[in-house]
Every structure is written in structure tokens, then in C-alpha cells.
Amino acid sequence: MSRPETDSPGAGMEFTLEDISDEEIMRRRALYEPFTDSVRDLIDAVIRTEVDDATVRQAQAEIAGVVQRLRTQQMDGAYGVRYTADKKGMAWGNAVIGLRNAIAPPLVLRPGDDGGVVTDATLGAAYEGPSGLVHGGVCAMLFDHVLGEAASVDGIPCFTGTISVRYLRPTPLGPIRIDAAISGRDGRKKIVRGTLSGPDGVTAEAEGIFIVPREFEGQAFSSWVS
Ligand SMILES: CCCCCCCCCCCC(=O)SCCNC(=O)CCNC(=O)[C@H](O)C(C)(C)COP(=O)(O)OP(=O)(O)OC[C@H]1O[C@@H](n2cnc3c(N)ncnc32)[C@H](O)[C@@H]1OP(=O)(O)O
């Protein structure tokens, strides 16, 4: 299957116009959300299963059959960032928020009290680094996206220029929360700070410089459908 029409503000930064109705967005969400969740379950089951060797081999053959069936009709390349004519953004392949990406937790963001953004998620066995703890790279990835969303509150997507993470204490696997908000602005640059918390409080903090790429100026999204 070919991709929808591409609007190309710069190399490797394409947004793709796919003007579908709200009803069609809802239909796709209703179809793909449980589909992606079942693959998330599969990832968790593969990590934690203790069945015998024959059962593992049989499961592998069945999974290969499903993959073959799905690949009979496939888009070229990655999903991309798509948008409707009224500028609703759909980053459904995104590694952190992607509706169709089973490796995304996925994070669902909401406005914070301070003009920033907040998200709650549960990180299971697939996000492990040290035993029973969240991988440091996963923490950095989640910070990168959530701080980026906080920087993009006016609808114009910002790119990460620089981000630093201070790991204060280990983050246990399980429920987490991230809070982020803009702490300073300088032209196209925004300074954003955030915290990652587990059940016993803040475990890591991050600060980043997020920049509106010149090519994105004036290209605001109205909302982000995840
Ligand atoms: C509802 C919708 C939601 C939308 C929600 C969307 C959320 C998305 C969050 C995703 C976050 C990501 O993963 S983004 C993907 C990871 N990041 C990237 O791939 C970025 C790759 N780098 C680049 O594309 C570029 O280098 C940019 C865009 C960062 C900057 O390029 P540029 O625009 O040409 O910048 P330039 O004119 O040279 O400089 C502008 C100013 O920024 C400073 N500057 C430039 N680069 C950097 C840098 N890396 N770190 C610090 N500062 C920098 C310069 O000193 C200058 O300051 P002064 O002289 O003016 O003081």
C-alpha cells in the first residue's frame, strides 16, 4: 500500500496529510488499540513464559503465520506523522505514544496545573534494566517525549536539542508519573524541566532545550490524537 500525500517541510521531517473524519479516527482507534494491546501482552508473555520447549516452538510458528498474513498488505516505510485538514496530528507509530506501536507504553498526556503536561503509565517487564527497575534509557526516552510535548503546548512541534537526566534513585517497574513544564523561552528555544515519580516519590529529573525547527514555524497542530 502506498502512503498518503506527503507535505515535506524538510528532509526527514515530513508530515503527511491524511484527511479522515472524526468517525474514521474513532473506528481506527477502536480497531487498532486492542490489536496493539494484544501485541503488548504477547511481548510480556514472551519475556515471562515458562512453558516447555515444544510449546515455545509451536507458538513461534503461529506468530510467524500471523506476521506473514499481516505483511500481505503493508505501507512503505514507517507510519510517519499524519494530520487531518483541521490539523489533528496522528503519530500512531511513535515509540512513546503510538496507538499502533506495541513497544510504546503507551503514554497518554493530559494538561498539568502549571500549563505543562502530565502522564501516568505502568511499565512492566518489557522496560526492565537493573533487576525489577526501569531501564535508564527508557526513562530518558519517556522524558524526551514528555518534555517535548510540554515544549509544544502551542501546537508547533519542537525537537529535542539537548536533554540531561539526573537519576536520583532507582525507578521500580510498575506505576510511574511524569510531570513537565516550560521554565524559560528564548526565540525558537524553550527550556523544559520535568520529573519522573514512582509510588515513593521523585526518582529522576530532567532538563532540556527544545527547538522549533525553522521548517516548522507556523505549522501548528490543533490537537494530537493518541
Ligand atoms: C499538539 C502538537 C504536539 C506535538 C508534540 C510533539 C512532541 C515531540 C517530542 C519528540 C522529541 C524528539 O524525539 S525530537 C527527535 C530528536 N531530536 C532531533 O532529531 C533533533 C536533530 N537536530 C535538529 O533537527 C536541529 O539541530 C535543531 C532543530 C534542533 C536545531 O536546528 P536549527 O533550527 O537549524 O537551529 P539553529 O538555527 O542552528 O539554532 C537555533 C538556536 O538553537 C540553538 N541550538 C541549536 N541546536 C541546539 C542543540 N542541539 N542544543 C541546544 N541548543 C541548540 C542555537 O545555538 C541557536 O540559539 P541562539 O543563537 O538563537 O541563542
Side-chain angles (χ1 to χ4, degrees):
M1 199 170 114
S2 62
R3 297 171 64 93
E5 183 187 332
T6 291
D7 206 355
S8 186
M13 295 189 185
E14 295 90 3
F15 299 134
T16 305
L17 175 64
E18 188 176 22
D19 192 23
I20 53 176
S21 64
D22 287 349
E23 290 71 32
E24 177 60 10
I25 290 175
M26 297 290 280
R27 188 194 69 77
R28 292 190 193 182
R29 286 195 62 161
L31 179 67
Y32 286 110
E33 206 164 25
F35 183 49
T36 310
D37 271 344
S38 66
V39 179
R40 261 181 216 114
D41 270 355
L42 174 65
I43 292 170
D44 186 75
V46 166
I47 295 169
R48 298 167 57 208
T49 190
E50 296 186 313
V51 297
D52 60 47
D53 294 9
T55 308
V56 170
R57 288 195 190 96
Q58 188 188 343
Q60 186 191 342
E62 287 168 15
I63 293 165
V66 171
V67 170
Q68 197 178 17
R69 202 149 75 235
L70 294 175
R71 291 220 189 276
T72 54
Q73 210 177 329
Q74 194 133 81
M75 67 187 74
D76 300 329
Y79 191 85
V81 176
R82 305 182 184 190
Y83 66 95
T84 60
D86 58 350
K87 297 280 183 181
K88 289 194 188 79
M90 296 170 285
W92 290 0
N94 186 280
V96 178
I97 59 164
L99 178 72
R100 288 179 59 166
N101 190 337
I103 70 163
L107 296 190
V108 178
L109 290 107
R110 60 183 193 278
D113 297 335
D114 51 1
V117 296
V118 184
T119 186
D120 296 291
T122 299
L123 302 178
Y127 302 99
E128 185 173 58
S131 182
L133 305 174
V134 182
H135 196 293
V138 170
C139 299
M141 178 176 76
L142 302 187
F143 268 135
D144 180 43
H145 189 91
V146 178
L147 269 59
E149 290 253 9
S152 310
V153 281
D154 52 6
I156 304 175
C158 291
F159 268 25
T160 321
T162 301
I163 188 164
S164 66
V165 178
R166 188 175 172 99
Y167 297 89
L168 304 169
R169 292 185 292 127
T171 306
L173 291 173
I176 59 115
R177 172 185 165 121
I178 299 177
D179 292 78
I182 294 174
S183 63
R185 292 170 190 260
D186 178 9
R188 285 187 289 126
K189 290 186 294 189
K190 295 167 190 173
I191 314 295
V192 185
R193 294 205 177 114
T195 55
L196 168 66
S197 307
D200 298 324
V202 174
T203 58
E205 49 195 29
E207 181 174 287
I209 300 171
F210 290 81
I211 301 164
V212 177
R214 239 180 263 107
E215 301 91 325
F216 288 4
E217 281 185 299
Q219 294 208 49
F221 286 91
S222 58
S223 62
W224 212 235
V225 186
S226 59

